[in-house]
Amino acid sequence: MTTSYAGDRTTGFASPASDVIEGPIDLSEVLSLSKPNRYPVRVSGTSFSSRCVMNGDVLIADTAGVPASGQLVIASASGQIILAELRNDHGRWLLISGNGSSQPLYVDPARDVEIWGTVTALVRTEV
Amino acid sequence: MFGLIDCNSFYCSCQKAFDPRLKHRPVVVLSNNDGCAIARTKEAKDLGIKMGDAWHLIRNMRKLEHVAWFSSNYPLYADMSRRVYEVLLDYVPRVEAYSIDEMFLDLSGFHEDLSVVCEQIRTAVDQITKIPTCVGWGPTKSIAKLANYIAKDRPELEGLCDLSASNVREKYYRNLPVSEVWGIGRRLAPRLHDAGIRTIQNFVDADEAFIRKIMSVTGVRLQAELRGENCLPLSEAPSQRKGMVCSRSFGSMVTDYTSMREAICTFTSRAAEKLRAEDLECGHLTVFIQTSPHRRQDEWYAPQVSLSFPPTNNTFSLVKHATRLLHAIWKDGFRYIKAGVGLNELAPSNRQHSLFVQEDEQKSRASDVMDVINRKFGQGTLNLLGAGIQKKWAPRQNMRSPRYTTDINEIMVATTF
């Protein structure tokens, strides 16, 4: 006797599904978490609740992502890791606050304002 | 054509990848137990911190007050190394992971200018893993290794060095000391110097019979490699292990048998787990314990003892052997600073090699179950009770950063803007 479900070897009637067993869904694969460019990041703060990003959510950052206007990004600014919205301002990237509580910041590596990765997915484990 | 890509101050760069506050600060990573400096950023090197400097001697120096010190965080470094490796595989057909922070690249078959290809690779690694690198390339692995050293040593090359042309190589060979060649260490260099071999060019031109005499066939092969004759192929799979050691210095001196038994038990369990992960068994086990050689006021005692037995990779059997050995060498009254377990006579596992020794089927299944649980819920989730719960002897790791990429409870935090 074994303790795991052997759906293709039933003891009484043969299972009509024995050839098509597919196993559970692997969310890590759905989110491509094993790719070298994917990193999970925890959200702290509420200023992006307008975009349904809540305190404590896990975002999947993609460090190979192509930035686009309107996208959420993980950025580093004056020594901090922040979540911001990206906006294109006449060819320059601008980091925008989620609720207008902070002044917009231009992306400028010379001033230590850099895009770390783009946000590609959101995981919430408690609803 | 081979390339060698090397991550700059790898452990420090891994720390910096997730902590922008470190961008302009000197960063130092310490060895297990926070003993001494094992990785330094350029800023830290410029402050005069040397490899192996004892942390407790330099930590309070005035000029080092802005240094960010970190305990080593190997789960993070291993995962970042994996990421670097995978980025490289997107660009070249074959990669040899030579060490945690150095990888050989198969650069044959490129029609483009290799400077362009290698610069693209550096940029991709930097963007995706946030790790800065240098790349050197040439017709053999030994030349690629030297090219990488030059790329790292000369900032004006901007991280790239091309030694594919023999006239370029010659220029460097004439000026660089022979000690910069891969495999010629501090031990060999003086002997070569005595024979008048000072530069790499001298070494390449040296009489083959003489080189064979002092360096055996390895030296002759190295000469050929430096001339551009390829003798060392890329190896993608590491050669089979001959032995493995699991040892640690303790966070505080161990004076009682129970703590020491816990430590030995922990090391043995970990080694057994590694054996099973690689499908190996071992037939020989060594246990050693040591007092500190630096404390003159204490008496020095450093015994080791070994035992042969029918091959196994079962945690329970190995722990039993190890505990017996420890019991045989243990003496009260000493202050032990380090201990370890070595496994030898490794061979692919085959659970039916002896008719006469019946391994307890239940025990080996229990070992397998432990592996599954520890892989799923993190190392050390399920342990033998003998390995201890409090682990008073555990190495000091007071400044370990979060395991940003391997533990969901320690991932990087982004503050909403």
Side-chain angles (χ1 to χ4, degrees):
Chain A
M1 207 187 78
T2 86
T3 48
S4 59
Y5 174 69
D8 55 337
R9 288 181 290 113
T10 39
T11 57
F13 292 103
S15 167
S18 63
D19 289 339
V20 291
I21 290 170
E22 296 190 339
I25 292 165
D26 181 354
L27 282 182
S28 156
E29 198 182 324
V30 174
L31 299 166
S32 305
L33 282 187
S34 60
K35 281 196 180 163
N37 47 311
R38 294 289 173 106
Y39 298 83
V41 180
R42 180 85 58 186
V43 176
S44 167
T46 54
S47 63
F48 274 95
S49 50
S50 58
R51 292 195 57 166
C52 302
V53 179
M54 305 301 174
N55 186 38
D57 283 354
V58 174
L59 300 174
I60 309 302
D62 186 343
T63 52
V66 182
S69 204
Q71 197 170 30
L72 293 181
V73 293
I74 304 297
S76 62
S78 48
Q80 263 214 318
I81 293 286
I82 59 170
L83 169 68
E85 183 180 321
L86 201 60
R87 197 74 64 76
N88 193 321
D89 178 53
H90 303 93
R92 292 181 71 189
W93 291 119
L94 204 54
L95 299 175
I96 308 282
S97 159
N99 61 2
S101 59
S102 317
Q103 287 297 311
L105 261 179
Y106 279 107
V107 172
D108 182 0
R111 295 181 162 203
D112 293 340
V113 182
E114 291 176 80
I115 299 174
W116 197 91
T118 59
V119 174
T120 60
L122 182 149
V123 179
R124 185 170 301 149
T125 49
E126 278 176 51
V127 190
Chain B
M1 198 65 72
F2 294 95
L4 181 68
I5 185 164
D6 174 289
C7 302
N8 304 346
S9 319
F10 179 61
Y11 298 168
C12 299
S13 298
C14 291
Q15 301 296 155
K16 292 174 74 166
F18 301 93
D19 189 349
R21 287 172 308 176
L22 302 175
K23 189 161 183 196
H24 304 289
R25 279 179 71 184
V27 178
V28 176
V29 171
L30 303 169
S31 59
N32 261 326
N33 216 17
D34 297 342
C36 55
I38 52 168
R40 306 151 300 153
T41 56
K42 185 179 176 303
E43 294 85 356
K45 290 174 194 172
D46 289 346
L47 286 170
I49 300 172
K50 304 264 180 307
M51 281 302 249
D53 273 358
W55 181 58
H56 71 277
L57 294 180
I58 59 172
R59 58 191 284 191
N60 291 325
M61 286 168 76
R62 191 73 190 272
K63 65 169 183 174
L64 303 185
E65 63 188 357
H66 294 297
V67 174
W69 309 96
F70 287 96
S71 304
S72 34
N73 186 345
Y74 287 109
L76 174 67
Y77 309 151
D79 186 59
M80 294 307 282
S81 178
R82 189 259 316 170
R83 288 174 193 262
V84 170
Y85 179 87
E86 286 178 5
V87 174
L88 298 175
L89 269 185
D90 276 344
Y91 287 83
V92 299
R94 296 191 308 144
V95 179
E96 173 186 337
Y98 177 68
S99 69
I100 197 167
D101 60 352
E102 285 172 290
M103 322 245 166
F104 281 106
L105 310 172
D106 177 357
L107 293 176
S108 51
F110 279 97
H111 299 296
E112 302 94 318
D113 182 355
L114 284 179
S115 314
V116 177
V117 175
C118 292
E119 180 56 32
Q120 272 173 2
I121 293 177
R122 277 187 78 211
T123 309
V125 171
D126 189 61
Q127 190 198 340
I128 291 174
T129 68
K130 318 295 176 189
I131 308 269
T133 56
C134 289
V135 190
W137 65 97
T140 68
K141 279 166 87 175
S142 304
I143 293 174
K145 180 93 177 147
L146 182 68
N148 182 275
Y149 161 76
I150 296 168
K152 214 167 21 174
D153 190 52
R154 309 197 176 191
E156 70 272 19
L157 294 176
E158 298 184 324
L160 296 175
C161 177
D162 175 3
L163 288 188
S164 55
S166 59
N167 57 334
V168 178
R169 287 204 293 275
E170 248 170 57
K171 197 185 75 193
Y172 284 113
Y173 284 6
R174 284 184 207 293
N175 294 309
L176 286 173
V178 68
S179 53
E180 295 308 338
V181 171
W182 189 22
I184 297 186
R186 290 206 190 91
R187 201 174 49 86
L188 271 170
R191 296 186 63 190
L192 293 169
H193 280 195
D194 290 347
I197 299 171
R198 297 189 166 273
T199 65
I200 300 180
Q201 192 62 48
N202 292 155
F203 177 75
V204 173
D205 295 339
D207 178 39
E208 195 187 300
F210 171 73
I211 295 295
R212 185 185 296 270
K213 209 173 71 192
I214 63 169
M215 288 179 71
S216 82
V217 68
T218 327
V220 179
R221 209 185 294 146
L222 203 50
Q223 279 185 304
E225 277 252 318
L226 288 169
R227 278 195 297 266
E229 295 161 34
N230 186 1
C231 309
L232 301 167
L234 206 68
S235 53
E236 285 162 284
S239 53
Q240 202 209 303
R241 286 173 183 278
K242 294 191 180 65
M244 63 170 75
V245 176
C246 189
S247 69
R248 289 282 182 285
S249 295
F250 299 128
S252 54
M253 301 276 191
V254 165
T255 51
D256 63 298
Y257 179 72
T258 310
S259 297
M260 185 62 93
R261 200 192 58 209
E262 282 179 19
I264 292 294
C265 206
T266 302
F267 302 156
T268 313
S269 305
R270 180 68 195 126
E273 202 178 317
K274 268 157 70 180
L275 277 182
R276 293 192 296 272
E278 295 181 27
D279 257 320
L280 296 171
E281 293 181 331
C282 80
H284 186 270
L285 187 147
T286 304
V287 169
F288 65 88
I289 56 180
Q290 291 175 3
T291 59
S292 168
H294 303 300
R295 291 175 60 92
R296 293 218 192 99
Q297 65 272 42
D298 291 349
E299 210 183 330
W300 161 248
Y301 179 56
Q304 72 169 52
V305 59
S306 304
L307 178 71
S308 287
F309 42 83
T312 179
N313 59 18
N314 180 312
T315 296
F316 300 88
S317 312
L318 291 170
V319 163
K320 202 177 75 194
H321 294 316
T323 326
R324 261 179 59 202
L325 291 176
L326 173 65
H327 194 76
I329 52 175
W330 174 263
K331 277 192 198 165
D332 283 324
F334 289 96
R335 295 154 62 79
Y336 297 96
I337 188 66
K338 186 176 181 179
V341 172
L343 304 184
N344 282 299
E345 290 173 22
L346 305 190
S349 91
N350 163 21
R351 285 188 176 158
Q352 288 166 344
H353 37 69
S354 167
L355 283 173
F356 305 103
V357 184
Q358 284 273 319
E359 261 230 325
D360 190 334
E361 180 65 17
Q362 237 179 342
K363 280 184 183 170
S364 65
R365 277 186 55 194
S367 297
D368 291 343
V369 169
M370 280 174 65
D371 289 348
V372 172
I373 290 177
N374 286 333
R375 243 184 321 240
K376 189 158 176 188
F377 298 103
Q379 217 183 82
T381 303
L382 196 60
N383 261 331
L384 301 191
L385 191 56
I389 291 174
Q390 290 207 331
K391 298 192 201 269
K392 279 182 292 186
W393 48 270
R396 271 190 300 265
Q397 269 202 323
N398 295 331
M399 298 157 295
R400 203 205 69 203
S401 70
R403 287 166 293 182
Y404 296 106
T405 63
T406 56
D407 188 316
I408 190 67
N409 298 311
E410 301 183 14
I411 59 178
M412 188 167 78
V413 173
T415 311
T416 57
F417 185 50

